Amino acid sequence: NDSYGCTSTDLMNNPEYECIVVSGILPNGRSIFPEQLSLEKFYGQAHGNLMVFSCQIMLNPTSDSCGFKKSWFKYLRWSEIKEQVAKGEISVRIVILTDCSSTTEVNSDYTAIPVVAIDSLGRITVIEYEREKIQTYEFVERIFNKYDKWLPEFVVRQKAPLETAIMPFINEKNRERSDKGERIVPFYDFSLGKRAKQDRMMALQPYFQQGRVYFDP
């Protein structure tokens, strides 16, 4: 059963039908429909998105398919990116992401502020990253400091209660900067919806598997 209204579950629960569930690749290693989908096409999907392949084609999601392999983690220095930009080989845009925690208690989440460079080759590189337990007021200060350092296209703000609560302070600080003739920090609101954190993390798996995500070592 999927989000497109497939009635497979209804059929399986209907006593009038006898349903047999078979994966896309048979135990003998052959494609279930070789005329329509060859093994090459199936395994091409596996190399593109292992989790979807494991769930939808093999009907056998495993912990391996739902994780991140060490070999998928790539590294690229910001200095190399800047050199490519200077040579006119690529263009790059910078975005700051934010994830604020409400407390600094031992069991609380960390506040995270990653700075990400997205270039014209499709690479997504984390060029700076903060992950600490800090007070909310300090979080606001660091956002503005990061903006002044990197001058990103915008700062991504989650549509979450805490981030919404601190926006009046951010707006006031932007007004002060505007009065001084300084740049104001542009924000982009991003809704997390109702997806669990684990699901949001797993949505990044294809980007890592395809070798598009890099980290400045």
Side-chain angles (χ1 to χ4, degrees):
N1 196 11
D2 61 25
S3 59
Y4 298 99
C6 176
T7 58
S8 57
T9 301
D10 296 332
L11 289 173
M12 294 177 68
N13 293 332
N14 192 322
E16 295 182 14
Y17 299 93
E18 181 179 352
C19 297
I20 300 174
V21 179
V22 183
S23 65
I25 299 177
L26 301 173
N28 62 9
R30 297 184 61 185
S31 167
I32 189 172
F33 299 118
E35 296 82 6
Q36 285 76 31
L37 287 170
S38 65
L39 286 177
E40 288 79 7
K41 289 184 178 179
F42 272 137
Y43 286 113
Q45 293 183 31
H47 287 295
N49 192 326
L50 182 60
M51 182 174 64
V52 171
F53 172 79
S54 177
C55 295
Q56 295 187 357
I57 304 302
M58 298 307 296
L59 308 181
N60 182 33
T62 64
S63 58
D64 288 340
S65 67
C66 295
F68 291 78
K69 294 183 179 181
K70 187 175 181 180
S71 60
W72 293 350
F73 284 77
K74 309 291 183 181
Y75 299 93
L76 177 67
R77 295 187 183 279
W78 170 236
S79 57
E80 296 177 51
I81 298 175
K82 288 195 296 182
E83 185 176 342
Q84 290 180 305
V85 172
K87 292 179 179 179
E89 298 173 349
I90 63 170
S91 59
V92 65
R93 47 196 285 257
I94 295 177
V95 174
I96 294 178
L97 310 178
T98 64
D99 186 6
C100 182
S101 176
S102 58
T103 70
T104 57
E105 299 296 327
V106 174
N107 296 325
S108 67
D109 286 339
Y110 287 87
T111 289
I113 311 176
V115 182
V116 179
I118 306 165
D119 64 46
S120 52
L121 296 179
R123 298 176 302 190
I124 304 167
T125 308
V126 180
I127 54 179
E128 188 171 277
Y129 188 87
E130 287 195 25
R131 177 178 176 271
E132 296 182 45
K133 294 186 178 182
I134 56 178
Q135 298 289 348
T136 305
Y137 72 88
E138 189 175 356
F139 168 70
V140 173
E141 288 296 325
R142 293 199 185 187
I143 288 177
F144 281 87
N145 290 339
K146 281 281 185 291
Y147 178 82
D148 289 335
K149 177 179 179 180
W150 293 99
L151 296 178
E153 185 173 331
F154 50 74
V155 177
V156 178
R157 181 187 73 92
Q158 296 181 15
K159 282 187 177 179
L162 179 59
E163 280 80 353
T164 301
I166 65 175
M167 278 310 291
F169 301 100
I170 290 176
N171 291 336
E172 177 61 30
K173 198 166 184 66
N174 264 337
R175 279 192 293 269
E176 293 175 359
R177 290 168 68 96
S178 179
D179 292 342
K180 296 177 183 178
E182 299 175 352
R183 293 173 181 261
I184 64 171
V185 178
F187 283 84
Y188 174 82
D189 291 346
F190 178 76
S191 176
L192 299 176
K194 296 182 179 180
R195 292 183 300 167
K197 184 173 290 187
Q198 180 78 7
D199 295 334
R200 299 200 304 270
M201 288 190 291
M202 291 316 306
L204 297 174
Q205 191 204 54
Y207 294 94
F208 279 83
Q209 186 181 359
Q210 294 164 15
R212 293 182 56 190
V213 180
Y214 293 79
F215 295 88
D216 188 322

